Amino acid sequence: MSLITLENLSVRYGGQTVLRDVNLAIAPGEIVTIVGPNGSGKTSLLRAIIGATRPATGRVTHQKGLKIGYVPQKLHIDPTLPMTVERFLRLPGGFPRADCAAALDQAEVPDLSKQQMTSLSGGQFQRVLLARALINRPDVLLLDEATQGLDQPGSAAFYRRIAQVRAQTGCAVLMISHELHVVMSASDRVICLNGHVCCEGTPEIVSSAPEYRALFGTGTGGALALYRHEHDHAHDANCAHEHETEKAAE
Amino acid sequence: MLDDFMIRATLAGIGVAFAAAPLGSFVVWRRMAYFGDATAHAAILGVALSLAFQMSIFAGTMAVSLVMALTVTMLTGRGYAMDTLLGVLAHSALAFGLVAVSFLSGVRIDLMAYLFGDILSVSRGDLAVIWGGAALVVVLIGWRWSSLLTATLSDDLAYASGINPKREQLILTLSLAITVAVAIKVVGVLLIAAMLIIPAAAARPMSRSPEMMAVMAAVIGAVAAITGLRAAYVFDTPAGPSIVCVAALIFLGSSLLSGRRGVS
């Protein structure tokens, strides 16, 4: 039984259709990466899954009792709001302190619990968001461009961490990547979204060939992989595939 | 004890300070200051309607404040710039209220009492309404505290935790309407927003947690009420504005102290 099932999902914002007829199922323990150009509906898809956006048509079904860990794309905390990392992690359920420590350990930022949220660096903030998503031992982790603002070694470390978390806890991962071709190598499936599901496949593990080294640099520890798109259809003029041209150049 | 008007006034001021503290903290965190202003200004229209239909001022102001707050909430994100929208609504509500009051030829009302409060004339009945309303606000916000905080951080984070941020917004809207209705007698419609924002803002530099900020805001509000009333008695100044002046001085002191310590 799938954890999350989307059936013919369409989402509209003020007359504009951002997603149409999306069918998708997330199985327990799998890592699914969604790529797609800006405005392709990636965030809308996640928001529909967490219930923040009502589908125009179609259905979103959660497995009974599904626990979701959600890492938002960005989070602005007003500087007038005093809040320690520990307090932030324990919202809203009042999780025990021991769970906070465990979640911070899992996110590899064990010493931050007494810090104020507004004093964290960008990278620390991202890890704390991850810790918050992990605290309720979720069945599925939803990550919206979680590596935004991190450099390549930083993203690679973050992806390795996600892969380890999956290995340790067995939770499924659905993540949005802001890159079209470079994805987490541990992804079981990559889905290219552009208003609808354009293509779907597995990532190509990066070999040690020099051209890949040039692309990824060294020291990513095999965390990154390539996704080559296979599109068998063309969009109409107002919805062109950004990477169509790149494919031609390959 | 309640026979003394100063004691009744002090208790009324403390009651308003207690309701305003947790609500005011959310007003500051969510940047709703102008929203509080609009709701409060609409209350003068509520006063006019209450007098016209001979119902209780409390019920009338609460109803109109609630309608105002709901209207603003509904119009949010419909393509208007928020500060423009609130500016239009706040000031036109005040203007319509003042015009409506002038139509009430049969009743003689002291408009100043509603604009700036008339805390020295608080009766035992008023005191019961103020403390009842304040208790209701504290219980409402206390009950939803964690959900309100989560929704304040981010709507999407709230949805992912199974919280509907729109419902939490409604709790704040309702609390705001109650607070306006109970505070109108104490500080008047023009200064209600001050009682919401100034104690909470003054409490910020001394607080390391949201709970502490709300409690400190209550303490600061109560101190301002007690000291302000005392000052009004000694210097023969208007009571409501005196309370706000003391709160503003505490804010100034708190900001200067935290600035010197280098804490933001």
Side-chain angles (χ1 to χ4, degrees):
Chain A
M1 157 103 198
S2 306
L3 299 174
I4 297 169
T5 314
L6 309 181
E7 290 165 274
N8 302 319
L9 176 77
S10 296
V11 173
R12 276 189 207 107
Y13 285 129
Q16 187 126 16
T17 304
V18 290
L19 282 177
R20 64 194 137 83
D21 293 329
V22 174
N23 288 289
L24 177 65
I26 307 295
E30 72 170 338
I31 297 182
V32 179
T33 297
I34 296 178
V35 297
N38 289 334
S40 59
K42 299 181 302 250
T43 296
S44 301
L45 184 79
L46 279 202
R47 297 192 77 230
I49 290 176
I50 62 171
T53 301
R54 209 176 280 270
T57 57
R59 274 207 312 172
V60 177
T61 322
H62 292 180
Q63 191 190 59
K64 207 162 175 281
L66 182 77
K67 282 188 289 183
I68 291 178
Y70 174 63
V71 181
Q73 186 173 12
K74 49 179 182 269
L75 182 63
H76 172 76
I77 296 187
D78 199 275
T80 59
L81 177 55
M83 188 173 281
T84 60
V85 167
E86 187 176 76
R87 189 76 183 79
F88 175 74
L89 292 183
R90 297 177 71 193
L91 275 178
F95 299 99
R97 274 168 216 272
D99 287 6
C100 288
L104 285 172
D105 270 344
Q106 267 188 320
E108 291 180 320
V109 278
D111 304 321
L112 292 181
S113 65
K114 299 293 174 216
Q115 294 252 356
Q116 286 285 316
M117 286 300 290
T118 44
S119 71
L120 301 179
S121 73
Q124 287 174 328
F125 198 92
Q126 212 73 288
R127 292 298 179 116
V128 168
L129 285 178
L130 175 64
R132 188 180 180 281
L134 290 171
I135 197 166
N136 67 341
R137 300 185 183 89
D139 305 306
V140 58
L141 205 52
L142 304 179
L143 301 132
D144 192 354
E145 305 204 357
T147 60
Q148 211 176 29
L150 300 182
D151 54 14
Q152 207 171 54
S155 331
F158 193 86
Y159 283 154
R160 277 201 302 277
R161 193 63 237 163
I162 298 291
Q164 285 161 9
V165 165
R166 193 265 302 254
Q168 285 161 9
T169 67
C171 70
V173 179
L174 176 62
M175 77 165 103
I176 288 175
S177 166
H178 57 285
E179 300 205 61
L180 269 174
H181 302 284
V182 182
V183 298
M184 177 176 170
S185 60
S187 305
D188 299 303
R189 273 195 292 159
V190 180
I191 290 167
C192 173
L193 195 72
N194 193 1
H196 68 131
V197 176
C198 289
C199 64
E200 201 176 327
T202 51
E204 240 175 66
I205 305 298
V206 177
S207 63
S208 51
E211 52 265 46
Y212 288 119
R213 275 285 159 82
L215 186 57
F216 294 115
T218 48
T220 63
L224 302 177
L226 263 190
Y227 178 59
R228 290 185 194 274
H229 300 254
E230 307 275 350
H231 288 164
D232 53 1
H233 65 283
H235 280 235
D236 46 21
N238 61 8
C239 181
H241 281 266
E242 242 173 48
H243 43 267
E244 211 74 318
T245 45
E246 298 171 44
K247 217 175 97 176
E250 273 175 26
Chain B
M1 179 185 95
L2 292 177
D3 290 339
D4 185 62
F5 76 94
M6 275 302 278
I7 289 178
R8 287 199 303 271
T10 307
L11 287 176
I14 294 174
V16 168
F18 283 179
L23 180 60
S25 300
F26 278 105
V27 167
V28 168
W29 298 330
R30 298 168 72 112
R31 306 195 166 195
M32 290 165 59
Y34 218 170
F35 185 78
D37 248 348
T39 310
H41 288 180
I44 204 75
L45 192 59
V47 171
L49 292 176
S50 313
L51 292 171
F53 296 105
Q54 298 189 328
M55 50 186 204
S56 96
I57 302 271
F58 178 75
T61 48
M62 199 181 131
V64 173
S65 302
L66 195 57
V67 169
M68 181 64 158
L70 289 175
T71 310
V72 174
T73 309
M74 254 166 46
L75 289 175
T76 309
R78 294 264 174 98
Y80 296 96
M82 200 54 194
D83 59 340
T84 307
L85 183 70
L86 285 172
V88 170
L89 287 173
H91 299 109
S92 38
L94 186 61
F96 275 109
L98 294 173
V99 169
V101 168
S102 76
F103 277 119
L104 300 168
S105 51
V107 237
R108 284 173 53 88
I109 67 158
D110 180 9
L111 202 54
M112 289 292 277
Y114 295 107
L115 289 177
F116 297 107
D118 191 11
I119 191 172
L120 299 181
S121 74
V122 165
S123 67
R124 281 160 182 254
D126 292 335
L127 210 51
V129 167
I130 289 170
W131 275 85
L136 190 58
V137 168
V138 170
V139 167
L140 257 180
I141 294 185
W143 169 51
R144 305 299 307 169
W145 185 260
S146 288
S147 306
L148 280 167
L149 272 180
T150 311
T152 298
L153 289 170
S154 136
D155 278 1
D156 285 353
L157 224 49
Y159 276 119
S161 305
I163 296 163
N164 183 351
K166 294 201 178 94
R167 196 182 56 207
E168 307 307 324
Q169 170 75 43
L170 211 57
I171 300 273
L172 286 182
T173 304
L174 184 63
S175 305
L176 191 59
I178 298 172
T179 305
V180 167
V182 301
I184 194 166
K185 186 106 191 181
V186 175
V187 285
V189 293
L190 293 183
L191 293 176
I192 288 173
M195 280 308 276
L196 285 172
I197 295 154
I198 299 176
R204 170 62 184 102
M206 324 170 182
S207 315
R208 279 189 57 80
S209 73
E211 295 76 19
M212 196 171 159
M213 181 157 151
V215 171
M216 285 305 295
V219 171
I220 291 169
V223 168
I226 295 165
T227 318
L229 276 170
R230 190 71 213 153
Y233 186 76
V234 172
F235 301 112
D236 192 24
T237 48
S242 301
I243 294 174
V244 174
C245 285
V246 173
L249 289 175
I250 298 176
F251 170 76
L252 189 66
S254 152
S255 310
L256 288 178
L257 278 178
S258 71
R260 212 165 45 188
R261 283 206 317 263
V263 182
S264 64

